[in-house]
Amino acid sequence: MPIEYIDDDATLSALCAQWSHEEFLAVDTEFERTSTFYARIGLLQIADSKGCYLVDPLCIEDWSPFKALISSPSCTLVMHSCSEDLNLFQTFLGCLPVSLFDTQLAAAFLGIGFSISYQGLVEQLLGVEVAKDETRSDWIKRPLSEKQKLYAATDVRYLLQIREILSEQIQLKGMTDWMQAECDQQLAIAQKTEQESNWQTYYTGVSNAWRLDNGGLEVLQQLCVWREQKARQRNKPRSWIVKDNDLLSLCAEIAEATNSDSLSIDIIKNIEGVDRRFLSRSAEELFLLLNNPANRGEVDPGLLNKPLSTSLRKKLKLSKQAANNKAEELGMSPELLGRKKYLVDLLRDYEKHGALRWSGEFAGWRRELLESELTAILGED
């Protein structure tokens, strides 16, 4: 399959016009994200029915034809394990595809594996061995070597062929609507990444946050939102702004000082067990942040990942087994149907509200498959 290198706006625009007549396009990206919050795109790979195209994002200035292309519902992007690629589209291009087919998800529906690699899937379905030796290449440095170009093109070369095989099998098993729902969910998750309203619940993902009282949680929530803002402003990883453990160490003491109206910059600067450089650099800013009532939001201890009660642990085990049995019956990967994290969230919500409230991961086809079994399990004493 021929490989074409695209490094000017006119050629990309002409190709986008050509691709607008394609029902499916294979897409992948190469990027670097070791020292930044936002990934730095190094290459965009595309394959159609005729060839492979390597688009150099360091040379392209006008992305509007490509954005218009992926915004059309008539063109489905075929990708493999696409969550990071979608986040890159969202932050780099400011848009997401309308229609998506993720071959890793499709493989999970067919029981081939929950998180099988592209190389593994190509080898299993086509009997072709794909090299992995350029995985950690520097995709920002120019010029790219011929070996890098071949590796990058190979990452999309087989995607359309694989999609056809997987799609046919999924259709035969009557899972097409479920697969579409999962792909739509992937797009919805990517859409939320840069929505500030979602940062208000990031405190629930901090390990051991359940050990804090409500005052400490309110501080943690404000600090997590602040960290999201700073990570983006400075374009640095969250842990480079402040680590989770340091956030937890801050919360209890700050909450106590805030309640007694004795919080000061000096108190913040001298909190034990926290990176001194961080405190020296940020104490004044944190003081102003935490003393502004407008920055405070509602916290919900029921959302925290605290240890499950003995009763819930038993119900989790039974729920997990029920999901595994159903997945085996359907020939799909058990992790796809009943991942432990989402079952735990469902059970916590049940304990809090006294009823199963099917939302998020369990709002659609999973509810259809698991409702009767889980209702029976949770109804047991």
Side-chain angles (χ1 to χ4, degrees), residues 203 206-221 247-253 255 301 304:
Y203 70 97
V206 176
S207 295
N208 291 318
W210 60 272
R211 296 180 183 275
L212 298 171
D213 60 18
N214 273 19
L217 285 177
E218 289 174 2
V219 173
L220 180 61
Q221 183 195 53
L247 287 181
L248 285 173
S249 298
L250 282 165
C251 289
E253 197 156 341
L304 301 174

Side-chain angles (χ1 to χ4, degrees), residues 49-62:
S49 54
K50 304 177 186 66
C52 296
Y53 309 83
L54 306 180
V55 182
D56 189 338
L58 307 188
C59 299
I60 300 299
E61 294 184 0
D62 183 11

